[in-house]
């Protein structure tokens, strides 16, 4: 298994290109199941989760072609995927595939809407919490589907097609909102979603569906209205920048010091996180091409933050913020309200010298003057990258184990950091 070795203490200087968003790419790829025409996605990041979803969609009969390079493009640009679901050959998503990536459960919406049936394995728990699918099933029922569960599988049927309905989410859910958008686009009649997720990735998926001929309004607000259409067509769509990758590198710069331009991204995608970074002492400036982050010689100020659905502070940046605050000049408090078990990084950060006390959903972080390198490992994507950030600012060598988690969501992480002066290398085997 690969490891990553980091020698800390180098401020980051230079430019980091931000990739297309993983959490938009996955539902956009799944949306290709809704049409027999070709959906072309540009700016797709090269990630393990994207490759796995290609495999899963292939199983349903989606042909996927990866576009060749165009003049002026480098291998660092995102890839272009051509996805064609001319004929769905299998409406079952088996356990061995769904259990490897939760988002693959979302195929249930398009399969049901287009084929009138779907059999999808229940995803099961994962390192950051129990993560049930009850609200996704509620969506399908509200649209007229019959739902049964059998031997770990969800069986969804709508032999006469789905019909529009009213969906009121008792809590904000990204996956539930994606499922509602995709299924209702092909339903007969109008669907109204209340308390919809407002994440930028929802807006991106709605934009793409509208290019495919869907009639969705209100994406990005809590109320989304969808007028169903009988069929969708192909489209070409560019995936929006990854706000979590942007925020992660912003925290790395805030932690190590230095001055980095995060290129091809937008501040409005993560304003709440950038506001917290400013409070912590970083200088944030939006430019024509991206967001510039720098930190002067002063220390990091402590912060109090609670994670919340967009536009609040994202749970996907909570671990990285904890790494940053571990060296603040004072005591910070971080409360996690989205996932009940998303503190797996705490014990590993403590191994690097952080002082963190956990009480229920709140972590109290007493800033220390320095962290010291150590061997560490983590159990999920964002936790792993928080260890990388901490290691970049720690004294001496840190070895991060189980880096396959990082490969799920961060494209060319070591290359991007090395180009800014970090001492980081991958050790294979
Ligand atoms: N929930 C339910 N029932 C459901 C669905 C969700 O109770 O049927 C709960 C969840 O357990 C959680 C809350 O609702 O407590 C919000 O979960 P949500 O459905 O919004 O999360 P998700 O769609 O499963 C996506 C991202 C996550 C990100 C969350 C929150 C993708 C592929 N995943 O997950 O990203 O943390 O939204 O913003 O978009 C990551 O990239 O590392 C990651 C975990």
């Amino acid at each position: 298994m690969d490891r990553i070795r980091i020698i800390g203490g180098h401020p980051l200087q230079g430019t980091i290109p931000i990739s297309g968003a993983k959490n938009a790419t996955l539902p956009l790829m799944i949306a290709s199941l809704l049409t027999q025409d070709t959906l072309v996605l540009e700016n797709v990041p090269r990630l393990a989760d994207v490759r796995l979803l290609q495999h899963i969609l292939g199983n349903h009969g989606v042909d996927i072609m990866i576009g060749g390079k165009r003049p002026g493009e480098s291998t660092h640009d995102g890839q272009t995927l051509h996805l064609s679901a001319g004929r769905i050959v299998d409406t079952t998503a088996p356990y061995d595939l769904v259990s490897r990536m939760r988002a693959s459960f979302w195929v249930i919406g398009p399969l049901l809407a287009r084929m009138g049936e779907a059999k999808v394995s229940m995803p099961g728990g994962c390192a950051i919490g129990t993560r049930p699918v009850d609200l996704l099933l509620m969506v399908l029922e509200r649209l007229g589907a019959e739902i049964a569960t059998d031997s770990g599988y969800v069986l969804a049927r709508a032999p006469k097609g789905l019909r529009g309905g009213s969906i009121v989410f008792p809590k904000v859910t990204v996956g539930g909102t994606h499922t509602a958008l995709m299924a209702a686009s092909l339903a007969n009649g109008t669907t109204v979603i209340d308390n919809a997720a407002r994440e930028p990735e929802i807006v991106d998926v709605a934009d793409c569906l509208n290019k495919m001929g869907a009639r969705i309004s209100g994406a990005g607000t809590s109320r989304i209205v969808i007028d169903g259409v009988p069929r969708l067509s192909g489209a070409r769509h560019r995936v929006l920048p990854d706000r979590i990758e942007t925020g992660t590198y912003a925290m790395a710069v805030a932690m190590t010091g230095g001055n980095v331009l995060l290129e091809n991204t937008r501040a409005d995608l993560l304003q709440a996180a950038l506001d917290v970074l400013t409070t912590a002492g970083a200088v944030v400036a939006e430019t024509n091409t991206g967001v510039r982050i720098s930190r002067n010689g002063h220390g990091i100020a402590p912060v109090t933050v609670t994670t919340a659905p967009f536009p609040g502070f994202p749970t996907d940046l909570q671990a990285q913020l904890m790494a940053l605050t571990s060296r603040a000049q004072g005591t910070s408090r971080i409360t996690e309200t989205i996932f009940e078990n998303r503190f797996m990084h705490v014990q590993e950060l403590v191994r690097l010298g952080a002082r963190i006390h956990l009480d229920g959903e709140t972590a109290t972080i007493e800033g220390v003057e320095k962290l010291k390198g150590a061997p560490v490992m983590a159990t999920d994507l964002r936790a792993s990258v928080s260890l990388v950030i901490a290691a970049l600012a720690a004294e001496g060598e840190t070895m991060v184990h189980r880096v396959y988690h990082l490969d799920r969501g961060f494209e060319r992480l070591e290359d991007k950091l090395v180009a800014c002066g970090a001492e980081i290398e991958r050790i294979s085997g």
Side-chain angles (χ1 to χ4, degrees):
M1 250 192 257
D2 290 3
R3 289 161 291 161
I4 286 183
R5 180 168 167 268
I6 299 165
I7 312 285
H10 305 279
L12 298 174
Q13 304 279 355
T15 299
I16 297 181
I18 298 300
S19 300
K22 167 180 85 80
N23 287 351
T25 300
L26 300 177
L28 285 166
M29 290 173 70
I30 289 172
S32 71
L33 288 166
L34 288 164
T35 174
Q36 50 185 7
D37 300 339
T38 302
L39 176 64
V40 181
L41 298 178
E42 297 171 353
N43 199 31
V44 171
R46 292 170 177 77
L47 297 173
D49 273 9
V50 170
R51 285 188 290 275
L52 178 58
L53 186 56
Q54 282 174 227
H55 182 58
I56 292 170
L57 293 175
N59 208 42
H60 295 299
V62 184
D63 286 322
I64 302 177
M65 206 262 291
I66 301 177
K69 254 204 260 179
R70 295 198 177 160
E73 264 181 14
S74 77
T75 42
H76 292 178
D77 291 314
Q79 34 180 9
T80 299
L81 296 189
H82 299 246
L83 303 108
S84 309
R87 225 165 58 88
I88 305 280
V89 295
D90 195 341
T91 52
T92 300
Y95 173 75
D96 58 322
L97 295 178
V98 180
S99 58
R100 286 160 67 190
M101 181 173 57
R102 271 189 62 85
S104 58
F105 185 84
W106 300 348
V107 299
I108 196 165
L111 287 175
L112 178 66
R114 179 158 158 202
M115 304 301 290
E117 59 169 40
K119 179 178 173 189
V120 180
S121 170
M122 288 199 254
C126 76
I128 61 175
T130 51
R131 301 183 78 182
V133 291
D134 55 327
L135 299 176
L136 280 68
L137 301 184
M138 182 267 283
V139 163
L140 302 176
E141 276 177 335
R142 299 295 300 162
L143 299 178
E146 288 160 22
I147 305 286
T149 52
D150 182 32
S151 313
Y153 278 81
V154 174
L155 311 167
R157 279 173 46 79
K160 294 190 190 122
L162 296 173
R163 54 174 156 70
S166 157
I167 297 165
V168 183
F169 285 117
K171 72 157 96 157
V172 175
T173 155
V174 171
T177 306
H178 282 312
T179 301
L181 283 180
M182 293 196 220
S185 286
L186 283 185
N188 186 8
T190 299
T191 298
V192 179
I193 311 174
D194 278 307
N195 200 20
R198 289 180 281 164
E199 270 64 6
E201 293 76 21
I202 298 286
V203 179
D204 206 41
V205 168
D207 283 350
C208 178
L209 290 170
N210 280 342
K211 287 181 198 163
M212 293 165 71
R215 294 177 58 200
I216 301 169
S217 59
T221 73
S222 311
R223 169 172 278 209
I224 303 180
V225 179
I226 305 145
D227 288 321
V229 295
R231 66 182 49 80
L232 295 174
S233 58
R236 179 177 275 268
H237 182 79
R238 187 173 176 80
V239 178
L240 91 169
D242 196 313
R243 64 194 165 99
I244 305 303
E245 190 194 22
T246 307
T248 299
Y249 289 123
M251 305 254 178
V253 179
M255 185 145 195
T256 59
N259 186 327
V260 172
L261 174 65
L262 304 171
E263 211 176 26
N264 307 329
T265 189
R266 298 190 339 243
D268 64 300
L269 298 174
L270 70 159
Q271 200 54 59
L274 294 178
D275 290 347
V276 169
L277 278 174
T278 305
T279 307
V283 178
V284 178
E286 183 150 31
T287 74
N288 289 342
T289 51
V291 180
R292 183 172 286 284
I293 309 285
S294 57
R295 190 168 67 77
N296 56 26
H298 302 302
I300 300 160
V303 293
T304 297
V305 170
T306 299
T307 62
F310 192 85
F313 186 94
T315 171
D316 290 346
L317 285 174
Q318 179 257 109
Q320 298 89 316
L321 179 67
M322 200 173 299
L324 174 66
T325 53
S326 69
R327 284 192 59 209
Q329 293 169 331
T331 302
S332 301
R333 269 184 197 82
I334 302 181
T335 302
E336 170 59 54
T337 65
I338 310 290
F339 294 112
E340 75 275 15
N341 194 26
R342 207 171 201 183
F343 280 129
M344 309 296 274
H345 42 285
V346 168
Q347 284 318 313
E348 300 300 302
L349 288 171
V350 166
R351 291 172 58 76
L352 295 172
R355 277 201 213 127
I356 306 172
H357 172 74
L358 264 185
D359 183 10
E361 55 182 25
T362 299
T364 303
I365 307 112
E366 236 180 274
V368 294
E369 204 165 303
K370 58 182 184 202
L371 300 175
K372 201 154 178 303
V376 288
M377 71 169 66
T379 43
D380 77 85
L381 169 59
R382 310 305 176 185
S384 315
V385 85
S386 77
L387 301 176
V388 171
I389 294 179
L392 289 172
E395 221 171 58
E397 178 182 302
T398 297
M399 191 71 83
V400 183
H401 296 268
R402 298 203 180 160
V403 298
Y404 58 85
H405 288 297
L406 287 171
D407 296 333
R408 293 187 52 197
F410 288 91
E411 186 176 20
R412 298 186 304 106
L413 174 94
E414 312 93 272
D415 293 358
K416 291 186 185 187
L417 287 169
V418 164
C420 289
E423 210 176 324
I424 172 169
E425 63 172 343
R426 182 178 291 244
I427 302 169
S428 300

